[in-house]
């Protein structure tokens, strides 16, 4: 175990709760201090790294022991940093009426248990390595469970030069249409 100034137990929580709790815990730290976040959600690895980058904290890394992920984040900014949310967004109901690519950035297991027909699965943690699989000429509708992870992924796509990117709000928790399963 690495040395940390504060420990946060986010075990058993799924997105967006590890980020929400981490954000609150970071407010209690001073610059340079390290927060250890204990989580069991596999998606938290990519989520917390992307969140830290978005708000200016240093994501140090993750270790895993007995199914628990230990994330280490150093506070690197004061409280004046405003967390930006990705624009533009698109309504969940609109994405099936348009001719674009639905990019599902949830973990593979979440995708397998139910996704929108035709959606492409690239988990958030694999996005950087798999950008070449995406067609830059198409509109890309980024979706996750709640809209938080897709917000981070959409920002990442735009930074990588994609121009027709939309964050889908709300996420899959509000999807009322048919689900395709691949179990």
């Amino acid at each position: 175990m690495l040395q940390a100034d504060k420990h946060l137990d986010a075990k058993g929580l799924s997105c967006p709760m590890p980020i929400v709790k981490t954000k609150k815990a970071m407010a209690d730290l001073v610059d340079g201090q390290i927060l250890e976040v204990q989580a069991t959600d596999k998606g938290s690895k990519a989520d917390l790294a992307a969140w830290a980058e978005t708000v200016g904290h240093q994501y140090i890394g993750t270790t895993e022991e007995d199914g628990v992920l230990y994330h280490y984040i150093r506070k690197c900014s004061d409280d004046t940093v405003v967390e930006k949310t990705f624009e533009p967004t698109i309504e969940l109901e609109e994405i099936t009426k348009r001719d674009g690519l639905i990019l599902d950035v949830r973990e593979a297991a979440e995708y397998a248990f139910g996704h929108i027909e035709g959606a492409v699965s690239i988990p958030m943690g694999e996005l950087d390595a798999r950008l070449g699989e995406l067609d830059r000429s198409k509109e890309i509708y980024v979706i996750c469970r709640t809209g938080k992870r897709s917000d981070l992924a959409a920002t990442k796509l735009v930074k990588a030069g994609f121009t027709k990117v939309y964050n889908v709000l709300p996420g899959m928790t509000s999807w009322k249409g048919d689900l395709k399963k691949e179990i």
Side-chain angles (χ1 to χ4, degrees), residues 98-162:
R98 295 181 53 170
D99 185 33
L101 170 77
I102 300 169
L103 176 61
D104 193 321
V105 295
R106 296 174 299 156
E107 291 301 297
E110 294 174 280
Y111 178 84
F113 277 96
H115 58 271
I116 297 170
E117 178 98 39
V120 171
S121 172
I122 300 181
M124 174 79 167
E126 298 174 18
L127 193 56
D128 288 330
R130 296 178 61 189
L131 290 174
E133 296 175 30
L134 300 172
D135 183 346
R136 290 177 185 270
S137 69
K138 279 192 164 184
E139 286 188 344
I140 299 175
Y141 315 120
V142 188
I143 194 165
C144 69
R145 198 172 73 81
T146 62
K148 185 70 177 175
R149 192 179 308 177
S150 57
D151 179 273
L152 299 168
T155 301
K156 199 175 268 236
L157 287 173
V158 169
K159 282 183 182 171
F162 288 81

Side-chain angles (χ1 to χ4, degrees), residues 81-110:
V81 173
V82 176
E83 189 172 345
K84 295 177 200 76
T85 54
F86 185 82
E87 293 288 343
T89 60
I90 189 169
E91 295 284 323
L92 182 59
E93 302 82 47
E94 293 298 308
I95 63 174
T96 55
K97 299 174 189 164
R98 295 181 53 170
D99 185 33
L101 170 77
I102 300 169
L103 176 61
D104 193 321
V105 295
R106 296 174 299 156
E107 291 301 297
E110 294 174 280

Side-chain angles (χ1 to χ4, degrees), residues 12-73:
L13 302 176
S14 58
C15 184
M17 290 315 295
I19 294 171
V20 171
K21 293 212 175 266
T22 298
K23 186 177 175 181
K24 277 188 179 161
M26 290 303 271
D28 297 335
L29 297 179
V30 296
D31 272 9
Q33 285 189 314
I34 296 173
L35 174 66
E36 174 193 86
V37 181
Q38 301 168 12
T40 48
D41 177 16
K42 297 293 181 207
S44 67
K45 188 172 184 177
D47 296 346
L48 288 172
W51 172 82
E53 183 184 318
T54 302
V55 297
H57 298 307
Q58 179 192 0
Y59 184 79
I60 298 168
T62 303
T63 60
E64 186 171 357
E65 190 176 302
D66 298 326
V68 177
L69 297 164
Y70 294 87
H71 306 282
Y72 297 92
I73 304 168

